[in-house]
């Protein structure tokens, strides 16, 4: 049924793995790789997101990440292909010009800097991509990796820096991914400032929350003390969505849904949020 639907939507050009394999010797290696990952239809030379992004996003994200050099730990140490495959790839399929900000270039990662940037360039070729990084020197050293990417620098836990990021980038993001410093106050202050900049219907991903209770992740920062633990904040948001005695907060909230998996969560914004809703800041 899926193959039939795909054929109808794509003018009869359904994706055929057997035909793709058989014809791989007739195309160049780059094209072969993209076809193997589900990134190119056999009957066209135009790169475009396939219909599979809607129903097979998890596998496409996983296989594409594994084929990326360096390979990001999003699919090795973590299993973030789950949330990105379920939410981010389908979102891009429907919004190919999406504007996406990721916090964290990976300058302290042993496997290499900019792994996720290379992944996004492959998966989202028509998106407007932005990358924010604390270490300015690292950004300067990896200009080639960041070609075609909007770049922001500074401390994600500092309100003045976050305001500058919004000003320089223009805000109004479809997607924000927080893979930055992982300190609770960095994550929370970023969320307080950047969540309002997410478009209605947009997505906000928070990675690596498994370390939230570590002492070194509970360092106070501007308007945020050591008692702030982001997973506890998210739990409270979920309570608002679940329990009937918090219906008033739910009606005022601009959060449509929260999906959590191992180590991470994604929040979706309502299509028609109440602009006066700020209950999650309190």
């Amino acid at each position: 049924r899926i193959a039939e639907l795909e054929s109808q939507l794509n003018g009869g050009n359904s994706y055929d793995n057997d035909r793709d394999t058989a014809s791989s010797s007739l195309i160049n290696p780059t094209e072969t790789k993209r076809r193997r990952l589900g990134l190119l239809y056999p009957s066209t030379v135009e790169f475009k997101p396939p219909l599979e992004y809607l129903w097979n996003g998890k596998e496409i994200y996983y296989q594409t990440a594994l084929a990326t050099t360096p390979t990001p730990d999003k699919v090795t140490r973590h299993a973030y292909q789950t949330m990105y495959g379920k939410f981010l790839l389908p979102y891009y399929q429907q919004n190919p010009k999406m504007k996406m900000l990721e916090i964290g270039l990976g300058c302290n990662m042993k496997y290499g800097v900019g792994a996720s940037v290379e992944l996004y360039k492959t998966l989202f070729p028509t998106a407007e991509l932005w990358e924010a990084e604390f270490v300015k020197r690292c950004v300067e050293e990896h200009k080639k990796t960041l070609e075609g990417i909007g770049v922001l620098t500074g401390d994600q836990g500092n309100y003045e820096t976050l305001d500058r990021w919004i000003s320089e980038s223009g805000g109004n993001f479809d997607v924000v991914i927080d893979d930055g410093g992982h300190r609770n106050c960095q994550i929370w202050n970023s969320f307080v400032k950047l969540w309002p900049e997410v478009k209605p219907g947009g997505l906000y991903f928070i990675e690596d929350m498994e370390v939230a209770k570590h002492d070194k992740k509970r360092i106070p920062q501007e308007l945020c003390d050591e008692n702030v633990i982001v997973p506890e904040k998210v739990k409270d948001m979920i309570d608002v969505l679940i329990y009937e005695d918090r219906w008033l907060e739910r009606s005022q909230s601009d959060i449509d849904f929260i999906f959590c998996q191992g180590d991470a969560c994604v929040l979706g914004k309502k299509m028609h949020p109440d602009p006066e809703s700020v209950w999650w800041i309190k």
Side-chain angles (χ1 to χ4, degrees):
R1 182 72 184 98
I2 291 173
E4 180 183 348
L5 176 62
E6 185 184 61
S7 179
Q8 294 172 357
L9 293 179
N10 291 280
N13 295 329
S14 62
Y15 187 80
D16 186 332
N17 285 321
D18 292 336
R19 181 174 58 162
D20 182 43
T21 301
S23 62
S24 63
S25 61
L26 303 178
I27 55 181
N28 64 55
T30 300
E31 190 174 334
T32 301
K33 176 181 176 181
R34 295 182 70 94
R35 289 187 179 185
R36 186 173 66 250
L37 297 177
L39 296 172
L40 186 67
Y41 286 100
S43 60
T44 180
V45 295
E46 178 186 358
F47 291 142
K48 62 181 180 179
L51 183 63
E52 288 98 325
Y53 273 37
L54 297 176
W55 59 271
N56 196 31
K58 180 177 179 179
E59 184 65 15
I60 292 174
Y61 186 94
Y62 180 65
Q63 294 297 337
T64 307
L66 289 180
T68 300
T69 303
T71 298
D73 70 352
K74 296 177 188 294
V75 298
T76 53
R77 183 175 184 274
H78 306 284
Y80 294 155
Q81 65 269 21
T82 297
M83 65 179 184
Y84 290 127
K86 286 181 178 291
F87 297 99
L88 183 55
L89 267 65
Y91 188 93
Y92 174 72
Q93 169 69 34
Q94 299 171 74
N95 303 275
K97 298 294 185 180
M98 72 178 187
K99 183 177 183 179
M100 186 174 84
L101 167 66
E102 181 183 51
I103 304 171
L105 182 60
C107 291
N108 62 340
M109 304 306 294
K110 294 180 180 179
Y111 56 73
V113 176
S116 58
V117 171
E118 296 299 333
L119 174 62
Y120 300 146
K121 285 180 178 180
T122 301
L123 286 174
F124 314 127
T126 61
E128 179 183 346
L129 302 176
W130 287 81
E131 195 74 24
E133 170 56 43
F134 178 75
V135 185
K136 189 173 182 178
R137 177 181 174 183
C138 176
V139 171
E140 292 295 324
E141 292 175 350
H142 293 85
K143 286 184 177 180
K144 186 174 182 180
T145 298
L146 292 165
E147 286 181 0
I149 308 293
V151 180
L152 306 166
T153 57
D155 179 5
Q156 70 171 111
N158 180 273
Y159 278 5
E160 184 176 337
T161 296
L162 290 163
D163 285 336
R164 176 171 54 80
W165 287 2
I166 294 168
S167 175
E168 291 180 2
S169 67
N172 198 33
F173 300 107
D174 288 277
V175 177
V176 174
I177 298 174
D178 189 338
D179 185 21
H182 308 323
R183 291 180 182 176
N184 286 285
C185 286
Q186 290 176 318
I187 296 171
W188 186 246
N189 285 356
S190 292
F191 181 77
V192 168
K193 281 289 187 178
L194 296 177
W195 173 255
E197 293 297 321
V198 173
K199 296 177 182 178
L203 302 169
Y204 196 109
F205 296 87
I206 304 175
E207 298 186 8
D208 301 328
M209 288 191 287
E210 76 278 8
V211 299
K213 291 187 177 181
H214 294 184
D215 288 343
K216 63 181 180 180
K217 301 300 182 183
R218 301 179 66 177
I219 299 175
Q221 203 157 355
E222 186 177 0
L223 301 180
C224 176
D225 62 34
E226 66 276 5
N227 295 314
V228 171
I229 299 178
V230 173
E232 299 301 323
K233 292 280 193 180
V234 174
K235 288 179 185 178
D236 189 53
M237 295 175 185
I238 293 174
D239 284 351
V240 169
L241 295 176
I242 297 296
Y243 294 116
E244 63 180 3
D245 62 349
R246 303 190 70 174
W247 68 268
L248 181 59
E249 290 168 286
R250 186 192 313 171
S251 68
Q252 297 173 339
S253 172
D254 56 0
I255 296 175
D256 186 27
F257 68 86
I258 299 173
F259 173 91
C260 293
Q261 62 156 91
D263 307 337
C265 295
V266 54
L267 294 84
K269 180 172 279 192
K270 288 180 179 178
M271 286 300 298
H272 304 288
D274 177 359
E276 301 301 321
S277 174
V278 291
W279 63 269
W280 41 263
I281 297 180
K282 300 176 182 178

